[in-house]
Amino acid sequence: MTEALTPQERFRLRRSLLSVPAINARALEKSRTLPTDGVIFDLEDSVAESAKQLARDSLKQFAEGHDRPDQQWIIRINGTDTPHHAADLALVRQLQPDAVLLPKAESVEALTQLRDRIGSRSELWAMIETPKAVLKAAALAEAAEDCGLTCFVVGLNDLRKETRIPADPKRRTLLPLLMQVVLAARAYGLDVIDSVSNDFRDLEAFQAECTEGRAMGFDGKMLIHPSQIEAANRAFAPSAEDLAEARAIIAAFSTPEAAALNVINHNGRMIERLHAEAAERLLKTFSRTTNQDEPQ
Ligand code: COA
Ligand code: MG
């Protein structure tokens, strides 16, 4: 086991983001005890229209009744065009979560307006879960600096409904859409989180989906059930071997002989300085977490 992560180290990790319906007091309590990097308190899709105020009250009572655990706290609010938006924003300003997640984000204007309203203590995140949002992901990401946007979260349940792409466990027809979102995020320096997976009892399929998400370049996964946390934490962290290799690459470029070289022979493989930069980023993010060591 590694030493426990400091809050700053843990804060950078976005391997596992567990959605918790704000109406569910038992799940709220449980979320504090779980090794998830972040908790998304949901005021939107998982809360019935008639229960929105109850959900806000429940979340307020929970958040004000406890010290914050070593987890990122994100609040998913209702959309700008709903009757619940203003009251959700008032709660956001009181609770000052680490991030506010806007569902069905589609326009730079909506994001910019929201930025001004949520207070400077919270990051702004956007759900990409409509056809328009996928098509406009690059434009939204390009405006990220102006509107303080730092992270995309893909939502496949809504996207499947809107595109009428049938549910397919392998997600084959969705892969080009997912890659567009990853590319847009990376082009402008945003983090990007893969969609929830509904079948929380089939952990084998879930593990495969996490592995696929990592291979596509996602930083982590939005989750719906505690049973999914461990697999996401494992899939979205490097192995001990990955970290050792990163250190070896940096060491290889640190020798006096390599000082004037941009490419070197590293155990029979060409490595460039860009590989050393990628290795540094990996170590900075995951210096004390491997996929064998769960953070405490
Ligand atoms: N966060 C925290 N705890 C959760 C949880 C969650 N998202 N989902 C389940 N749990 C807890 C349950 O409260 C239960 O705790 P207990 O043992 O102390 O009673 C335990 O985990 C086992 O739960 P289980 O019986 O397997 O599931 P369930 O029938 O209680 O809940 C769902 C199943 C799908 C309704 C529930 O997981 C859920 O609401 N997930 C989030 C849905 C969501 O946020 N959707 C919107 C985003 S797409
Ligand atoms: Mg939705």
Side-chain angles (χ1 to χ4, degrees):
M1 298 289 280
T2 48
E3 284 174 63
L5 299 177
T6 65
Q8 289 75 17
E9 286 169 324
R10 170 67 86 78
F11 197 83
R12 287 195 301 263
L13 299 176
R14 287 176 175 166
R15 304 164 302 174
S16 51
L17 300 171
L18 176 66
S19 177
V20 184
I23 193 76
N24 186 339
R26 192 178 173 98
L28 289 175
E29 285 297 332
K30 195 173 181 88
S31 71
R32 295 172 44 78
T33 68
L34 298 169
T36 180
D37 289 337
V39 178
I40 300 178
F41 300 114
D42 188 27
L43 297 170
E44 199 226 5
D45 277 347
S46 68
V47 178
E49 281 297 302
S50 56
K52 297 289 187 188
Q53 187 54 47
L54 273 179
R56 280 188 291 269
D57 293 344
S58 154
L59 178 56
K60 184 169 179 333
Q61 195 181 357
F62 167 75
E64 290 182 347
H66 296 289
D67 289 339
R68 286 206 188 181
D70 186 10
Q71 290 168 333
Q72 297 165 68
W73 275 7
I74 301 113
I75 298 181
R76 185 165 80 166
I77 57 176
N78 289 282
T80 48
D81 56 349
T82 68
H84 316 294
H85 186 67
D88 288 358
L89 281 185
L91 182 63
V92 158
R93 285 193 296 269
Q94 282 172 44
L95 300 187
Q96 303 193 338
D98 298 302
V100 174
L101 178 56
L102 179 69
K104 302 177 183 79
E106 289 186 334
S107 82
V108 172
E109 295 71 35
L111 289 168
T112 309
Q113 280 175 14
L114 195 54
R115 173 69 276 165
D116 294 339
R117 292 176 188 163
I118 60 177
S120 57
R121 302 278 297 274
S122 305
E123 289 181 32
L124 178 58
W125 294 11
M127 295 285 311
I128 302 296
E129 53 183 346
T130 64
K132 245 185 228 166
V134 175
L135 289 172
K136 292 176 74 174
L140 297 179
E142 190 174 10
E145 214 167 304
D146 294 336
C147 59
L149 182 67
T150 53
C151 187
F152 282 152
V153 182
V154 177
L156 285 186
N157 283 324
D158 274 288
L159 195 58
R160 283 194 186 100
K161 172 174 168 260
E162 299 292 321
T163 55
R164 298 187 215 146
I165 294 175
D168 157 20
K170 296 234 179 299
R171 309 199 298 182
R172 272 170 305 207
T173 52
L174 286 164
L175 295 184
L177 284 67
L178 292 170
M179 285 313 304
Q180 276 195 63
V181 181
V182 172
L183 191 63
R186 291 293 175 249
Y188 299 100
L190 272 68
D191 286 343
V192 59
I193 307 299
D194 197 358
S195 170
V196 296
S197 180
N198 299 339
D199 193 354
F200 60 85
R201 297 270 186 251
D202 188 348
L203 283 183
E204 207 173 308
F206 182 72
Q207 261 164 30
E209 200 171 290
C210 286
T211 304
E212 178 189 70
R214 172 98 196 282
M216 293 169 77
F218 283 104
D219 295 298
K221 200 155 172 71
M222 184 170 170
L223 313 176
I224 52 162
H225 193 277
S227 65
Q228 298 177 321
I229 297 171
E230 196 190 328
N233 282 349
R234 197 169 337 107
F236 290 98
S239 65
E241 291 76 34
D242 294 337
L243 291 182
E245 175 65 2
R247 289 194 189 95
I249 290 174
I250 292 167
F253 269 111
S254 309
T255 61
E257 307 84 76
L261 299 174
N262 262 8
V263 290
I264 53 179
N265 174 349
H266 178 61
N267 303 329
R269 190 163 57 88
M270 178 192 78
I271 54 170
E272 300 182 52
R273 283 207 178 268
L274 63 92
H275 294 115
E277 286 163 22
E280 268 163 21
R281 186 186 178 281
L282 191 81
L283 289 178
K284 198 164 158 242
T285 312
F286 292 104
S287 56
R288 287 165 61 198
T289 308
T290 74
N291 61 11
Q292 274 100 52
D293 294 304
E294 286 308 309
Q296 301 304 295

